[in-house]
Amino acid sequence: MTYDVVVIGLGGMGSAAAYRLAQRGLRVLGLEKFTPAHARGSSHGGSRVTRQAYFEDPAYVPLLLRAHEMWDQIEHDSGEQIFHRVGGLIVGAQDSGAITGSRASVEQFGLTHELLDASRIRERFPAFRPLDDEVGLYEPGAGFVVPEKSVRAHLELAAQAGAELRFEEPVTHWEPGKVTTGLATYETGHVVVCPGPWAPELLARLEVPFEIERQVQFYFTPSESLAGYPIHIWDRADGTNFYGFPDHDGAVKVAFHDGGEICTPETIDRTVHAHEVEAMVNAVRPAVPGLAGTFQRGVTCMYSNTADRHFVIARDEDVTVACGFSGHGFKFAPVVGEILADLTIDGATRHPIALFDPARLRGGA
């Protein structure tokens, strides 16, 4: 069985890659060890923040501009609402990394935004309680995407474009030109690897260290409505940093962005413990008192972290990889699919991806 491309992993990035490759006329096989849009990795949880005022690095902004265009196109082609443009508010001290980094991005690229002092934040969003010395950067074009709908839409469009998709068929071995599962061996002209938290296992030859971090997403029934509120990211001086969402599907979601336990996909503790819920409530209560009303449930996921928290996207001969998205990658899914198709077919892409060269993480080797 011979294919032009075999895509390993059909989560957020792999599903988008399979679609873009099939759309360009290649014979594509997609392999996934679990069911479609599963909850065992990193592409689940009902919502993922998307924004363009990117404090992580202004170099991401051109990719985000393209991603937002592509979310619209995916929604049109699939008939599903995936992107909810509810606006986004980043709160922190004037000199906090989130505020200074976001301002650098919006100023460099002329992004629509507003700067709000604490009193303006309280007036506009009464449920929020910023400290007097905190400010907010509001981005009206921000919001959240639904990861499960994104994965399913990309998979359906990939299948319509001719991709062959196989689920519950784990890859046991791969090398350039050949991919083996428990059921068959497939020959291919190119391999695209989108392993998520299985990167240490599937990409050992990349010689890049990945750290898999357990994170918890908490869902609450709020004690006051947050319907119509923006997504919000709080960079607080005391270190209680978190991000949250408005009411969606009967709950509000909130989570920490760092500080999780190091694990593997096999050893992760998928139980959400009472002390974790208490820590989340204690962090949220001073800033958004009505958010953590009644706890509904908690769901674990995994970050695949690089040392500098930037991505790894690269082609080496007949293999292209996309991994190490470090807890902030899902918003890029459609443009990453486009980049992977570019690299696979042309060996290069018009998109700026120099920041994601894996050589930076192995001493320039």
Side-chain angles (χ1 to χ4, degrees):
M1 287 176 279
T2 303
Y3 298 86
D4 296 322
V5 186
V6 173
V7 179
I8 301 175
L10 294 175
M13 307 306 174
S15 63
Y19 171 43
R20 296 301 169 183
L21 288 161
Q23 186 186 44
R24 298 192 196 182
L26 274 66
R27 188 178 183 208
V28 177
L29 172 65
L31 296 171
E32 169 57 54
K33 70 185 300 180
F34 299 113
T35 54
H38 63 83
R40 306 288 295 175
S42 306
S43 299
H44 62 281
S47 53
R48 288 287 186 275
V49 168
T50 185
R51 53 193 165 88
Q52 295 176 343
Y54 221 61
F55 54 76
E56 289 82 350
D57 196 304
Y60 286 92
V61 176
L63 300 179
L64 289 161
L65 295 172
R66 176 60 175 154
H68 280 210
E69 295 175 354
M70 297 181 77
W71 285 122
D72 291 340
Q73 180 254 315
I74 288 292
E75 288 188 326
H76 176 270
D77 292 349
S78 68
E80 291 283 349
Q81 184 181 9
I82 299 170
F83 188 173
H84 296 255
R85 285 177 171 81
V86 296
L89 182 70
I90 298 171
V91 181
Q94 287 271 14
D95 60 353
S96 65
I99 295 296
T100 59
S102 298
R103 292 188 68 174
S105 286
V106 299
E107 290 166 5
Q108 181 173 337
F109 290 93
L111 303 177
T112 301
H113 70 287
E114 297 177 63
L115 293 174
L116 309 174
D117 61 20
S119 63
R120 288 286 307 283
I121 295 172
R122 297 186 198 109
E123 177 184 344
R124 192 155 169 183
F125 306 110
F128 293 166
R129 304 287 194 276
L131 300 175
D132 289 342
D133 62 351
E134 288 181 321
V135 298
L137 188 146
Y138 178 72
E139 180 187 352
F144 66 90
V145 295
V146 180
E148 294 89 345
K149 285 189 175 183
S150 168
V151 172
R152 291 192 187 100
H154 278 107
L155 292 175
E156 290 172 5
L157 292 168
Q160 291 171 19
E164 182 178 341
L165 308 176
R166 295 175 177 262
F167 300 94
E168 299 182 280
E169 188 172 343
V171 171
T172 57
H173 176 77
W174 73 271
E175 59 189 71
K178 186 183 294 186
V179 178
T180 301
T181 73
L183 299 179
T185 295
Y186 307 100
E187 295 183 358
T188 180
H190 200 92
V191 181
V192 174
V193 188
C194 301
W198 287 269
E201 172 187 343
L202 287 173
L203 288 176
R205 69 185 68 198
L206 197 61
E207 298 180 357
V208 168
F210 298 100
E211 192 171 70
I212 309 306
E213 182 180 0
R214 172 185 179 271
Q215 288 292 345
V216 180
Q217 303 168 68
F218 300 86
Y219 301 80
F220 292 90
T221 301
S223 58
E224 62 178 299
S225 175
L226 293 177
Y229 269 60
I231 61 97
H232 40 104
I233 299 172
W234 297 74
D235 186 4
R236 315 216 83 181
D238 63 1
T240 54
N241 302 329
F242 64 91
Y243 62 96
F245 298 81
D247 292 335
H248 177 63
D249 285 346
V252 294
K253 188 176 90 171
V254 66
F256 296 115
H257 183 58
D258 49 24
E261 299 171 354
I262 304 307
C263 66
T264 70
E266 292 70 37
T267 63
I268 182 174
D269 179 3
R270 295 193 180 275
T271 300
V272 177
H273 302 278
H275 70 87
E276 295 177 306
V277 179
E278 182 180 9
M280 190 77 257
V281 170
N282 289 339
V284 168
R285 186 175 287 131
V288 195
L291 191 158
T294 303
F295 178 65
Q296 291 188 10
R297 67 191 188 279
V299 176
T300 59
C301 70
M302 288 175 280
Y303 287 2
S304 305
N305 294 333
T306 62
D308 60 8
R309 299 303 190 267
H310 295 310
F311 309 157
V312 170
I313 302 176
R315 173 175 171 162
D316 182 12
E317 297 183 351
D318 295 330
V319 177
T320 300
V321 300
C323 53
F325 288 96
S326 304
H328 64 111
F330 200 94
K331 60 180 73 68
F332 297 88
V335 71
V336 169
E338 183 171 67
I339 289 168
L340 295 176
D342 290 344
L343 294 176
T344 299
I345 296 169
D346 303 324
T349 180
R350 65 183 173 86
H351 295 294
I353 61 169
L355 182 62
F356 311 140
D357 188 338
R360 74 187 194 276
L361 299 169
R362 35 179 152 88

